[in-house]
Amino acid sequence: MSRGKKTKTKIRLGVNIDHAATLRQVRGGTTAYPDLLAMAKLSVKGGAEQITIHLREDRRHIQDADVKLLTRERPALINLEMAATPEMVRKALKYKPDWVCFVPEKRAELTTEGGLNVHKMRAVLAPMVERLQRIGIEISMFIEPSIEQVEASYELGAEAVEFHTGHWVLLKGAAREREWKRLVAAASAAHDLGLRVHAGHGLDLKTTRDIKKLPFLEEVNIGHSLICYALEWGLQESVAKMARVLRS
Ligand code: PXP
């Protein structure tokens, strides 16, 4: 395991392609587009070193077949976000992603709303972490920036913690400053314990410029903003191609 092994280089970009799958699933998966493997390859061309996918219990975006394809083709490191359930552990053991990031999951939520309570879920998580690590999968815990959660992640033997930035990006003024201080304290505590520091949720071009200043940050996972930018910056070319079809 790479725990404690530190490479002080640039910050790794993980691209979360869930929302490309959301667009496909809006039509019940009847369209072949967007092609997730193509999305993953384009992300790598753009500088992504990791592809992140969240296989949700309700399969609202990523499907089992996507996990199968992406782990087979492995255009980059594959980071599988999943709930701590026996079904998901079976999937991870089958498809063997490079990383598993344990996330909390509620059926009714629009997106992952908060961090995982690793401290409270220790008994459930411990055997799962052990089974996954035994076949070489590295473990990250998606948590709030709390020292208690960092320590619980360390005690379980995780390689990394991913701090939930979704609240911080929405805060303003003094509240934002307070949340930033929590992030800095939690990142420093994680680093002192030999945990890798990752961050993600709600990041866009502006907030990524700020999160870069988080001490010991090694990786960010970004999805929604990138898929939105792709629409904005790619629509003209798509329409031009369609217009050419009509004119030819
Ligand atoms: N990291 C984790 C653990 C997540 O659950 C998500 C959302 O699926 C992300 C990163 C990416 O968040 P966003 O789509 O808001 O960039």
Side-chain angles (χ1 to χ4, degrees):
M1 287 298 131
S2 60
R3 187 164 160 152
K5 211 180 359 161
K6 289 282 178 291
T7 44
K8 200 69 221 125
T9 50
K10 62 184 170 50
I11 297 165
R12 174 161 74 187
L13 174 60
V15 172
N16 180 319
I17 55 172
D18 290 351
H19 294 301
T22 301
L23 288 174
R24 184 192 59 198
Q25 295 311 118
V26 161
R27 294 278 165 97
T30 56
T31 57
Y33 50 82
D35 173 339
L36 286 211
L37 182 58
M39 297 294 115
K41 287 181 177 168
L42 287 169
S43 300
V44 172
K45 270 194 177 170
E49 291 177 74
Q50 172 166 278
I51 298 299
T52 293
I53 44 177
H54 183 176
L55 186 66
R56 294 187 77 106
E57 189 196 0
D58 63 10
R59 306 295 197 273
R60 69 173 74 157
H61 39 53
I62 296 295
Q63 306 296 303
D64 296 55
D66 298 322
V67 183
K68 186 176 175 184
L69 179 67
L70 289 162
T71 49
R72 193 186 69 210
E73 298 297 320
R74 238 167 263 252
L77 291 172
I78 302 293
N79 174 31
L80 179 65
E81 295 175 359
M82 57 179 229
T85 65
E87 186 210 356
M88 288 303 156
V89 172
R90 277 196 301 278
K91 298 286 175 196
L93 290 170
K94 182 172 173 189
Y95 296 120
K96 302 183 179 61
D98 299 281
W99 283 85
V100 158
C101 178
F102 280 108
V103 299
E105 199 174 296
K106 289 191 229 123
R107 242 171 204 275
E109 69 189 356
L110 282 178
T111 180
T112 314
E113 286 165 1
L116 187 69
N117 192 337
V118 179
H119 182 70
K120 199 167 144 203
M121 289 179 65
R122 272 179 302 188
V124 175
L125 286 164
M128 296 182 171
V129 169
E130 207 200 306
R131 284 185 76 191
L132 296 168
Q133 284 179 335
R134 215 182 295 146
I135 64 159
I137 298 174
E138 298 195 273
I139 305 294
S140 162
M141 300 287 181
F142 187 49
I143 58 172
E144 297 294 324
S146 124
I147 306 287
E148 184 188 48
Q149 298 300 337
V150 168
E151 287 175 351
S153 303
Y154 169 74
E155 280 158 22
L156 280 177
E159 277 81 21
V161 283
E162 178 168 332
F163 293 118
H164 192 308
T165 49
H167 310 302
W168 167 72
V169 297
L170 298 175
L171 292 171
K172 302 232 176 332
R176 185 181 172 88
E177 203 42 50
R178 267 197 305 280
E179 184 69 3
W180 179 254
K181 285 191 178 137
R182 284 182 76 213
L183 279 162
V184 171
S188 303
H191 176 77
D192 289 348
L193 290 169
L195 289 163
R196 289 167 178 260
V197 175
H198 303 172
H201 212 285
L203 295 170
D204 59 12
L205 283 170
K206 183 170 181 297
T207 48
T208 298
R209 281 192 191 101
D210 294 334
I211 201 73
K212 266 175 63 181
K213 296 173 199 143
L214 188 69
F216 312 115
L217 184 66
E218 290 192 27
E219 175 183 308
V220 288
N221 286 294
I222 306 180
H224 188 256
S225 66
L226 286 171
I227 300 298
C228 294
Y229 297 144
L231 291 174
E232 214 175 301
W233 298 332
L235 189 61
Q236 185 176 339
E237 197 179 322
S238 311
V239 172
K241 279 191 177 161
M242 195 62 82
R244 273 199 295 278
V245 167
L246 291 173
R247 272 190 242 112
S248 60

